[in-house]
Each structure stands twice: as C-alpha cells, then as structure tokens.
Amino acid sequence: MLLWLAGIAAFLFRGPFIYFIFYLLLLIWLVPPYLLRKTQSSLRIYRDTGSDAMFFGEKMTVKIKVENNSRFPLVWLKIKEACPRQLGPKGQSKINWVISLKPGETRILEYTLRGSRRGAYLVGPCQMELGDIFGLYKTKLEVQLFDFITVYPRVKPIEELGLTSLQPLGNLRHPQKIYEDPMKIAGLRDYQPGDPPKRISWRATARQERLLVKEYEATMSLDTMVLLDLDTNAYNPGRFEATKELAITVAASLAVHLDARRQAVGLATNGVAVAEASAYSDFKTLDNSNLENLAPRKGQGKQILEALARIEATPKAGPFLDLASRVKSRLPWGSTVIFIVPRDTDDLMTFSQSLVMSGYRVTIITVEGTRYREYLGKASTSSLLIHQVREEDEISALERKREA
C-alpha cells in the first residue's frame, strides 16, 4: 500500500525526492524477499548426537550444524530444536538460538542432553525462521530431522547390590572330559598314542625336544535366564515406582555382568513396551505390545539393555508363573534361572523347588522383602538361593561413601 502511494505521489509531483522515496521503497519491496528465497534454498542443517544411546545419569552433547551455502548473507535466523523434556536442559522441551550467517559460513551450535530417566526418546523436528534486515519479511520452515535416543537403565556392580554370592554363573568346571573347553588350556602332558595331532603343541615340543599335547579345562556352559516380574498388582503401591525401577536396575546389572564375562544370558518379562517420548508427547504404554522374550545367547547384553530401557509395568500383566513355565520348556538342562520379584511367595517357592528337582539352578532376588529367610546367605553352590537387594537410597549412600 505504501509503495502504491509513493508511486502516485511520484507521478503527480515529479520531484527528485519523491522519485528517491519511490525507488527506495521499490528496492525494499523486491530485494529482501529475493534474498530470503536464495538463502533459504541454500540453507542446510544437520544434527550429530555422537551416539544413539547413553546410560542413566550420563550426558550427551548434541551438535547442530548450520550452513549458508548461498552468496548472500542471512542476517536473521531463529532455530528451535525440539527435544523431550526428560532429557532437555533444565527440563526444557525447546532450545532456541538466534544467529546470523555470512555467505558460505558454517556455524556449530551445541546443547547437552541428560539421561535422567530410562526410556526411548525422539529428538526433533527442527524449526527455523528466516528474516530480512528490516524485519518486514519472515519465512518459517520445519525440517523433518529426527534422531532416536535410548537411555539405558541404571547399572550397578553386583557387589553394590549385595549379589556377590550369586557366583558361580555361566561356565562351570565339569569332571568329565567330554566337556573340554578348547579356549582354556589347563597345561601340557606327554603325547600318548591316539592323541589327535591338532592337540600337539609344536612350540613346546621344539623347546622340550619331546612331543607334548595340550590339556584343556573341562567346563560346561550354563545358560542364565533372567525373569523379571512387572505385574503392577504384585508391588506395594506406596513404594511401587522405586521398587519397580530397582528391579529393572537389578536385571540390567546382571545382564551387563554376565555379558562382560561372555556368558549366555536371556531375559523374559510380563511387562509391556512403551512408545518413544518426544517434545510433544510423553511415554505411552502399549498394552498390546508385550516384550518378546530374549533366549539366552552370548553377546546380547545391548539388546537386553534396550529392551529394559523401554519396558514398563502393567496391571494387565499375565500370571508371572505362567511366563516362567513357558520359559522353562525352552531352557536346556542345567541352566540358571534368576527370578527378580517383589517378594518370594509360596507359589514361587513351590515352582522354584520343582525347577531344582528338574536339574536347574534357581536364584530368587526380591526387591521388597523376603519371607523364606532360611534361604538367605546360603552357600553359592546351593541349587536354590534367595537374595534381598538393598534399597536405592542405600546404594546411593554406598556410592557417596566410596567417592569420599
């Protein structure tokens, strides 16, 4: 409208000043939108999280890379980064920057995510707003730039959880030679007729000037299956959140402990999965999405941590012992079964004793209390053990004492 008035005035009065005002307004009307379109088409933005996962309590630095690949300056750019409030700085779900970019300039913007709660999270999208030097024109963009971040559960050394007597887990020495482990050399002995040539230690033979063969340790690999009860109705309502997270911490700690020792470990639970949280939505329980049981296998510690990161308790959980019965039917003889439950009930003890009679080793870990206290503190060679895990506040006190 102002440009039209200036044009009419220039036509009627025909003065040099009027012409100057007219051409100035024409320049302001035409040039800034043109520059915005050019810079917008040459603007690039990237996000680098460095990793797609972090442990509870860790920090992750996120880098936003902004490039102006045009030949024109970008005088005003506002960037809004969306992130889940559970991870964002000071609980924020939006991080804002206002910058300017020279022609061909690249800027790196950083912020920090904090793993303050386990779960699966969606970071993004990224919104941008471009403006001209006069503040007359603005362009808004939403870049569909997303990254998935997993926050693993809290992991503690099993000694801090009071589980040192859980050993032995995994491989056990066996008196029969048919269970020899070729990865563990017990010693050397003289060659005897019938020994396979592949067992000859040629280096030791050359040094001792007589044929020597390797002897291996006799071991038997035992699978370990962790069964986690996440039935909301089984927990004390007054301490539900704390004890539920403690149970998940125990399961994660055991998985990491066994995986670090290259032992086969699996996980089964009656909990349900949750959808990713984002800046626009909180966690949503998927009641029809039960966790797929992970059969014992070596090298799957990461998969177990990922499953525990996005698992949640539910009042609609199926009976825990029904789950245990299904798992038992697929476990090889001699496996170790670890129950992580609120309390050791009569039905659980009866089922555990039947497992022991069937040739399994059973450990029950309670996070709320223990009824069958006669099984507490028994020798680690016993086939049925009960452990009561310390509360989280006791664990934190131990940490502070150690750090001091």
Side-chain angles (χ1 to χ4, degrees), residues 296-318:
R297 187 165 55 86
K298 294 182 180 180
Q300 67 173 359
K302 182 179 179 181
Q303 292 92 315
I304 293 177
L305 287 177
E306 289 175 346
L308 291 172
R310 56 185 306 161
I311 201 71
E312 192 51 74
T314 174
K316 301 178 182 179

Side-chain angles (χ1 to χ4, degrees), residues 16-36:
F17 180 72
I18 296 298
Y19 282 118
F20 172 76
I21 295 297
F22 173 72
Y23 287 118
L24 177 62
L25 292 176
L26 184 64
L27 190 68
I28 293 175
W29 182 54
L30 294 177
V31 174
Y34 172 79
L35 295 180
L36 277 181

Side-chain angles (χ1 to χ4, degrees), residues 166 337 339 344 348-357 360-365 372 374-387:
L166 272 179
V337 180
F339 294 111
D344 49 341
L348 178 61
M349 289 301 297
T350 300
F351 183 80
S352 299
Q353 289 166 350
S354 70
L355 286 177
V356 171
M357 294 180 63
Y360 298 94
R361 295 166 53 84
V362 179
T363 297
I364 300 174
I365 302 176
Y372 291 84
E374 62 270 21
Y375 289 93
L376 287 171
K378 295 186 71 174
S380 60
T381 54
S382 300
S383 296
L384 177 57
L385 300 172
I386 293 181
H387 292 270

Side-chain angles (χ1 to χ4, degrees), residues 181-194:
D181 186 349
M183 299 300 293
K184 298 181 179 180
I185 299 176
L188 299 171
R189 63 170 174 81
D190 289 329
Y191 174 84
Q192 296 176 1

